[in-house]
Amino acid sequence: MSMDLSVVVPVFNEEDSLAELVRQISVVCEEQKISFEIIFVDDGSTDGSFALLEELHQKDKRIRVIQFRRNFGKAEALSAGFSVVRGDRVLTLDADLQDDPAEIPFLIRVLDEGLDLVSGWKKTRKDPLSKRIPSKIWNFMTSVMTGIKLHDFNCGIKMYRREVVESVHIYGELHRYIPALVSWEGFSVGEMPVNHRPRLFGRSKYGASRFFKGFLDLITIMFLSRYTRRPLHLFGMWGLVFGSIGAVITVTLMVLRIIKTIYLSNRPLLFIGVLFILLGMQFFSIGLLGEMITRSHSKNRNYSIRRFLGE
Ligand code: UDP
Ligand code: MG
């Protein structure tokens, strides 16, 4: 028998929200006659989240629970949830009640009109200004750099066709770029404004460092999407550019030295310039090569599961 919807919820210390979240999801789905399951992924919570989830699973077998051995991060949690979904469609949702389950039927409708991923757009966002402004800038940059026209890449609420979550591969903090990764695989991606609510319980798990890391991740995915299979096109080109400039400079200085007797010892800037370019190139190439290695290794799972209720 086919199931309409799998809801995947990453959980990191959200004990006060969970029961209410289950209630809200069940109400909406039952009203709309949507058959569903909820997969909670407990990402190493240290509060009572898991005990509560276990209880919820005992009462209602539509609730399945994966428990990680420690905190691996939201991307890993989503990816673990994605690997066990049974529904034709998959919804992701934050556990903190900031996303509104009442959007489920609308998201399904938009998805079924012919998209592979519908991403929520927190048009009026209920978060502090210190979060909203950097997020606007980050979204704008991501949109420009990836060429994908979305307002809100990192919205927690997203509706997918199952094929999409089966093929998207996320780890680290790449969950922020799911729309880009999915679109680069050839799936169609759209967005829909969604209701956003203030956090009532617990604390936000992400501080300002996310934007810095997010920028580095953006470089990673741009690189991976374009150059994984042909890194030499990137490195080789810049190698040639810098190599030739360096050659021109040194040859010129050498000629000047021989013909006009201008001593190289009067050109200290030369050393600094050359040193910095070389260092920069080395750091960068090593960083990107490292990312490639992570990528091929992390085709295997990079999280560790302690228990799975409802396997
Ligand atoms: N989360 C997680 N693992 C982490 C950090 C967060 O599973 O290491 C979950 C968290 O429980 C929540 C969702 O990811 O369900 C989004 O986190 P949060 O609400 O703190 O982010 P914000 O809304 O502040 O961007
Ligand atoms: Mg939140």
Side-chain angles (χ1 to χ4, degrees):
M1 206 185 73
S2 85
M3 181 189 288
D4 297 327
L5 182 67
S6 293
V7 182
V8 175
V9 187
V11 178
F12 184 40
N13 296 339
E14 310 277 6
E15 57 182 352
D16 296 319
S17 311
L18 297 173
E20 175 59 16
L21 183 68
V22 168
R23 197 191 64 79
Q24 292 186 6
I25 295 172
S26 313
V27 167
V28 176
C29 289
E30 276 157 19
E31 233 167 47
Q32 303 285 328
K33 307 226 171 344
I34 299 166
S35 57
F36 70 101
E37 64 176 356
I38 308 178
I39 300 159
F40 284 102
V41 186
D42 173 16
D43 184 14
S45 296
T46 50
D47 64 354
S49 292
F50 183 75
L52 200 83
L53 289 172
E54 196 167 14
E55 215 174 279
L56 290 167
H57 165 75
Q58 293 309 332
K59 274 191 259 169
D60 184 346
K61 291 294 184 266
R62 291 175 302 188
I63 296 172
R64 303 161 73 203
V65 186
I66 295 175
Q67 184 190 29
F68 280 178
R69 286 182 200 282
R70 64 165 173 83
N71 179 242
F72 283 92
K74 187 174 176 183
E76 273 73 13
L78 290 177
S79 144
F82 287 166
S83 68
V84 302
V85 293
R86 294 171 177 161
D88 298 333
R89 306 174 193 79
V90 178
L91 176 81
T92 59
L93 194 68
D94 285 353
D96 55 8
L97 295 170
Q98 288 199 265
D99 300 324
D100 188 353
E103 302 285 358
I104 291 176
F106 303 108
L107 286 163
I108 291 186
R109 197 171 312 150
V110 175
L111 187 82
D112 289 354
E113 274 166 15
L115 287 170
D116 296 313
L117 162 62
V118 183
S119 186
W121 168 19
K122 296 166 290 210
K123 211 166 174 176
T124 39
R125 199 171 162 180
K126 305 290 185 340
D127 276 321
L129 209 65
S130 60
K131 208 164 190 165
R132 289 190 335 247
I133 291 175
S135 158
K136 271 232 158 72
I137 298 172
W138 175 84
N139 272 305
F140 176 74
M141 263 177 49
T142 306
S143 177
V144 169
M145 293 192 50
T146 58
I148 291 157
K149 305 254 168 314
L150 289 189
H151 293 88
D152 190 0
F153 281 78
N154 188 24
C155 188
I157 186 163
K158 289 186 168 63
M159 182 72 76
Y160 308 76
R161 250 171 238 305
R162 191 172 61 206
E163 302 91 271
V164 178
V165 305
E166 279 167 356
S167 76
V168 68
H169 174 64
I170 50 171
Y171 59 90
E173 303 202 358
L174 293 189
H175 58 277
R176 299 201 186 101
Y177 296 99
I178 289 178
L181 296 167
V182 164
S183 162
W184 285 332
E185 292 243 346
F187 291 110
S188 56
V189 175
E191 73 182 344
M192 185 190 110
V194 291
N195 182 22
H196 192 238
R197 309 182 287 194
R199 201 182 235 284
L200 296 179
F201 310 104
R203 303 198 294 123
S204 171
K205 311 300 180 298
Y206 297 100
S209 76
R210 72 160 83 187
F211 297 106
F212 181 65
K213 291 188 201 154
F215 178 68
L216 294 178
D217 284 344
L218 181 59
I219 297 175
T220 300
I221 58 159
M222 302 282 298
F223 173 75
L224 289 175
S225 73
R226 284 170 206 187
Y227 294 106
T228 313
R229 277 168 213 89
R230 47 190 189 99
L232 198 64
H233 287 193
L234 182 66
F235 293 115
M237 184 183 75
W238 288 108
L240 273 179
V241 169
F242 281 106
S244 344
I245 295 174
V248 168
I249 291 174
T250 43
V251 167
T252 314
L253 288 176
M254 192 173 80
V255 170
L256 289 176
R257 167 69 184 80
I258 293 168
I259 298 175
K260 291 196 166 171
T261 336
I262 300 176
Y263 289 108
L264 292 176
S265 53
N266 290 335
R267 300 306 217 1
L269 214 58
L270 171 72
F271 291 99
I272 295 174
V274 170
L275 185 71
F276 277 31
I277 290 170
L278 283 178
L279 272 179
M281 281 172 65
Q282 291 217 321
F283 278 134
F284 234 89
S285 339
I286 291 170
L288 292 170
L289 286 173
E291 286 288 351
M292 286 172 70
I293 296 167
T294 324
R295 171 89 162 187
S296 53
H297 274 294
S298 58
K299 287 273 185 262
N300 312 318
R301 300 198 306 203
N302 38 12
Y303 48 82
S304 164
I305 294 175
R306 180 177 292 139
R307 303 174 65 185
F308 185 5
L309 313 177
E311 196 153 358

